[in-house]
Amino acid sequence: VLIINSCGIMKMKEKLKTELQRLGLMPIEEEFGIVFKYQMLNYIFFDNSEDDDYLNICVPYVFEVDEDNILRVFAAVNNCNKILKVVKVVINDDHVWACYEAKLPKDISLEDVLIYAVHSLFVAHLEFVEQYETLLLPEDDDPAEATTLCS
């Protein structure tokens, strides 16, 4: 079932909300877009009404960054971005976020893209935690406990 707005075209925010509801993910509309949960993680869809073919979904607050862990966080983010496809792991203010961004063709299945995006973001969260916990930095004491800085 296609829902159409007053202009005759369904907006990305409306399509996404409908699809999330259909998948049982209980979306909540906010001023900036839509929030929902999956596997105990919070997800945010940022509405871009000027480009309705653009999909931007993030997992915010993956990890807190401070002066004590900044080098390890940078290295883990770098490793994640070398390993992962279609997801960017970034530092946003004092937290790590995982972001999926795509310009969608008109004929693509939003359900397929949404399932892939949500799963990819979940994997990115897990990968960041693994990279952070297993990195070896020059000041680390026990090399047997970790991998190299740029593995």
Side-chain angles (χ1 to χ4, degrees):
V1 174
L2 182 64
I3 299 172
I4 300 177
N5 66 10
S6 60
C7 297
I9 300 170
M10 189 172 181
K11 297 286 191 179
M12 177 62 79
K13 184 176 178 180
E14 296 164 338
K15 290 188 282 190
L16 191 72
K17 182 178 178 187
T18 298
E19 195 59 43
L20 288 167
Q21 287 171 332
R22 199 183 70 66
L23 293 170
L25 294 177
M26 315 234 312
I28 299 169
E29 279 194 68
E30 298 287 350
E31 184 178 309
F32 53 82
I34 296 173
V35 296
F36 62 97
K37 279 189 178 281
Y38 173 74
Q39 294 291 322
M40 302 301 292
L41 293 178
N42 294 312
Y43 290 73
I44 300 173
F45 161 73
F46 290 102
D47 189 25
N48 184 352
S49 58
E50 294 177 18
D51 188 355
D52 237 17
D53 298 327
Y54 182 72
L55 180 64
N56 181 0
I57 301 176
C58 297
V59 173
Y61 308 116
V62 169
F63 196 84
E64 188 171 357
V65 182
D66 60 35
E67 63 183 41
D68 294 330
N69 67 14
I70 189 76
L71 289 177
R72 185 177 295 276
V73 168
F74 277 142
V77 164
N78 186 56
N79 282 351
C80 286
N81 287 330
K82 289 189 306 186
I83 293 167
L84 298 169
K85 306 282 190 266
V86 306
V87 173
K88 293 186 290 188
V89 180
V90 299
I91 297 173
N92 189 2
D93 294 323
D94 59 352
H95 287 86
V96 173
W97 288 41
C99 303
Y100 176 95
E101 300 174 314
K103 177 84 169 171
L104 303 180
K106 299 282 186 209
D107 60 348
I108 197 159
S109 163
L110 184 58
E111 176 186 4
D112 291 345
V113 172
L114 184 57
I115 290 169
Y116 182 73
V118 168
H119 178 72
S120 296
L121 288 165
F122 181 74
V123 168
H125 170 265
L126 295 176
E127 185 65 36
F128 174 82
V129 171
E130 181 178 336
Q131 288 294 322
Y132 182 85
E133 290 177 350
T134 61
L135 277 170
L136 174 62
L137 295 177
E139 67 270 8
D140 289 335
D141 295 328
D142 188 2
E145 295 291 318
T147 61
T148 62
L149 180 62
C150 294
S151 59

